[in-house]
Amino acid sequence: HVSTDEVFGSLGETEPPFTENNPYLPNSPYSASKASSDHLVRAYYQTYGLKSIITNCSNNYGPFQHHEKLIPKVISNAINGLSIPIYGDGKQIRDWLYVEDHCKALMLVLEKGKPGKTYNIGGNNEIRNLDTVQQICKILEQSKPKKEKSYFDLIKFVQDRPGHDERYAIDSSLAQTELGWSPQETFESGLQKTVEWYIKNS
């Protein structure tokens, strides 16, 4: 059962990353629905012995992602000369996980994971949203330069969305110890691949 780090709520800037033992404190209806699905899976394992494993992952990015998500939205808007919206002050911190690293982790969970357990899967890439957007603009300036104004000029701060958590961070040490998994892609290399894919598949 693939879940999310959002079930744990929001971290302060100096708090340690989420472990599998963090209490559930969802702050939005979306994260509450994910938390409830985790509880259902766990209950079926405890009551009926249904072989199941839960994974809680950090923010995914990479090719084929829906344009409503931050990274593809920024790339698409920038390429098309549209404003790049950033919620609030853009200081929200997210831990980014390249999609192929996530897929490799899920395969190891299927092969080596223990039924009834939960594994956290994170990218070890804590970055503020504004910094993420600026990195995308920097890559686009090099890969697809604009003749008119800079991509950075398209950045526009908009009203923050309700229930927007301040920071997510994942401690993946259990997955590393028991499954032998660790992310192979750095945020810089993964983001470069992602931007180039969207340019070619715009």
Side-chain angles (χ1 to χ4, degrees):
H1 175 66
V2 181
S3 187
T4 172
D5 55 5
E6 290 191 45
V7 299
F8 300 120
S10 182
L11 288 170
E13 196 161 344
T14 60
E15 289 183 279
F18 298 126
T19 71
E20 289 81 0
N21 297 319
N22 269 77
Y24 276 29
L25 293 169
N27 290 320
S28 71
Y30 166 78
S31 54
S33 72
K34 294 295 284 185
S36 65
S37 67
D38 291 8
H39 290 317
L40 280 171
V41 171
R42 188 174 290 108
Y44 267 88
Y45 172 78
Q46 293 293 340
T47 302
Y48 301 111
L50 178 70
K51 286 186 177 180
S52 55
I53 300 170
I54 297 170
T55 62
N56 295 97
C57 71
S58 56
N59 282 42
N60 278 216
Y61 71 101
F64 294 102
Q65 192 171 29
H66 195 284
H67 279 196
E68 71 176 8
K69 300 299 182 182
L70 177 66
I71 288 177
K73 187 180 188 72
V74 170
I75 299 168
S76 176
N77 281 24
I79 289 173
N80 290 295
L82 303 174
S83 65
I84 300 171
I86 298 180
Y87 285 124
D89 57 10
K91 292 181 179 179
Q92 305 87 357
I93 297 171
R94 296 294 178 262
D95 174 19
W96 291 99
L97 175 66
Y98 189 63
V99 64
E100 287 186 13
D101 279 329
H102 189 191
C103 291
K104 290 171 185 174
L106 294 176
M107 287 303 298
L108 285 170
V109 168
L110 286 168
E111 293 166 5
K112 299 181 180 180
K114 298 175 182 176
K117 293 200 73 168
T118 294
Y119 296 94
N120 279 354
I121 302 169
N124 300 328
N125 291 306
E126 286 190 58
I127 300 174
R128 296 184 188 278
N129 285 347
L130 178 58
D131 295 333
T132 298
V133 171
Q134 290 175 336
Q135 283 196 42
I136 293 169
C137 290
K138 184 178 179 181
I139 294 170
L140 284 170
E141 293 278 3
Q142 297 168 347
S143 302
K144 193 176 174 64
K146 292 177 75 68
K147 293 180 181 178
E148 313 90 42
K149 57 184 181 179
S150 166
Y151 288 106
F152 291 92
D153 296 331
L154 298 173
I155 295 173
K156 179 182 179 183
F157 293 93
V158 298
Q159 184 177 354
D160 208 352
R161 62 181 174 84
H164 201 182
D165 291 327
E166 179 183 347
R167 172 176 168 247
Y168 302 139
I170 283 281
D171 180 343
S172 301
S173 55
L174 182 65
Q176 293 176 30
T177 302
E178 289 196 7
L179 309 176
W181 174 86
S182 62
Q184 301 302 300
E185 207 73 57
T186 66
F187 186 61
E188 290 72 22
S189 63
L191 194 61
Q192 183 77 40
K193 289 180 181 180
T194 302
V195 173
E196 288 174 0
W197 186 90
Y198 277 100
I199 290 173
K200 293 174 183 175
N201 296 275
S202 59

